[in-house]
Amino acid sequence: MTQDILIEPVSDTVANTSLAAKKVFIKTYGCQMNVYDSGRMSDALGQEGYTQTDNVEDADLVLLNTCHIREKAAEKVYSALGRLREMKKERQAQGREFTIGVAGCVAQAEGEEITRREPAVDVVVGPQTYHRLPQALKRVRNGERVVDTDYAVEDKFEHLPQAPKPKLVIRQVTAFLTVQEGCDKFCTFCVVPYTRGSEVSRPVEQIVAEAENLVSNGVRELTLLGQNVNAWRAKGPGGKTWGLGELLYRLAEIPGLARLRYTTSHPRDMDDRLIEAHRDLRMLMPYLHLPVQSGSDRILKAMNRRHKASEYVALIERIREMRPDIALSGDFIVGFPGETDADFEATMELVRTVGYAQAYSFKYSTRPGTPGADLPDHVAEEVKTERLARLQELLLQQQKQFAEACVGKEIDLLLEKPGRNAGQLIGRSPWLQSVNVDAKTSQIGDIIRVRITSTGSNSLFAEMAES
């Protein structure tokens, strides 16, 4: 299950100057994969003459790249569309172009319903068809309203342009790279198999080529993405089937690449080779997001997770044997249908046993079309609220303890961007925490040695280490 976040545009594009200058505003809801997808849509539109803007008032085209994990996420989309409808009326009165598009998982799940509920929407594309967005926009200019949510037969990644070298004042030193999409696990609470389709892995050659392109453009840290990223499987050189572990070893050979991460993983796909990669590859950061959802075997079975709480804990112990400094992150759902006080206490006990550096927790929300929606014994909203508060208090306590344990440590810090204060930069620790340190803008992209001096509410503070 993904974190419910709202992200503004993250990448610039180079426009085709032979075409009329147009501007696109992309608002991204949901997971990191949606952030990646927004960047690739921006790349594709760049070849059609669009440049990206972070001001919706300047845009000729507005795209909402949507998330369908929870009910409120979809509600946010329709609320945003209502505001855009009024903007479109104003633009039309001025004789100006203003095109509205919806992409992502809400688009895939609701398709024609979006255009029915909101007539101002011109184009709807799903996660597997956004590479056809330029063609869809041409049809819109010819007077059509386009809904393209069929699962594409072709490989969308082969039809997307290489990301152009960014013309940025501030160097982009980290990037997402999708290696796997879709899910075959069919957890009873989740819409992903219905919106993203079955599990598909990108070929080794395609992934390596994109990674090398990103590194040549200045990227130093790559995060591999997938709904179940550790379910990635593809033919390696010589025809042998590779898993994610082998892919990480291969990417570690790219000159100039300094750090690797991956997310999101499923416990059933953590094989020996992937665990060994955490032991062998120091550039593979000691951070693992491994959702468990519940500590109750009864609820895990109802969720169709197909693992027990004890198996999850044993897996964590194996990983920590290989990489003792690893930080754990997870996802939890409280109030799943049928969850008793004893089931919830089992979740609390699992959290105490594992000890998380950070985690995401949510109240169960019914998603139409999923098996969970038809289960009996739905938990009362006030009970879910009370349980979530208790769980989050424990998780926040663990997160604070982990951060405080970092004080006094010397770590390698990748400097990413300017901080809030003059003369300050922000980087990420090996455990994915934001770290503030006094440094020069010219050092962005450098990896420096720092000493953690104190903790903040959501970040750490550091000073240059003498060593």
Side-chain angles (χ1 to χ4, degrees), residues 19 22-23 29 51 59 78 81 139 190 217 235 247 291 315 326 332 343 371 386 405 435 454:
L19 299 172
K22 293 169 286 192
K23 293 183 179 180
Y29 301 82
T51 57
Y78 284 109
L81 288 174
R139 292 167 59 190
C190 187
N217 287 343
K235 295 292 184 183
L247 180 63
L315 175 61
I326 200 161
F332 294 91
D343 294 322
E386 187 272 337
V435 180
S454 62

Side-chain angles (χ1 to χ4, degrees), residues 119-155:
V121 172
D122 301 289
V123 59
V124 178
V125 293
Q128 305 306 325
T129 53
Y130 67 72
H131 61 293
R132 299 202 288 242
L133 185 57
Q135 291 75 25
L137 291 172
K138 289 176 183 176
R139 292 167 59 190
V140 169
R141 286 193 288 272
N142 290 329
E144 293 185 56
R145 295 181 76 200
V146 179
V147 177
D148 187 359
T149 55
D150 292 334
Y151 287 105
V153 176
E154 71 272 20
D155 179 358

Side-chain angles (χ1 to χ4, degrees), residues 278 282 286-287 320 322-328 402 409 430-431:
H278 280 280
R282 304 318 295 177
Y287 175 89
R320 281 178 165 156
M322 293 287 190
R323 192 72 182 260
D325 63 337
I326 200 161
L328 271 297
F402 184 86
K409 288 184 178 179
W431 307 290

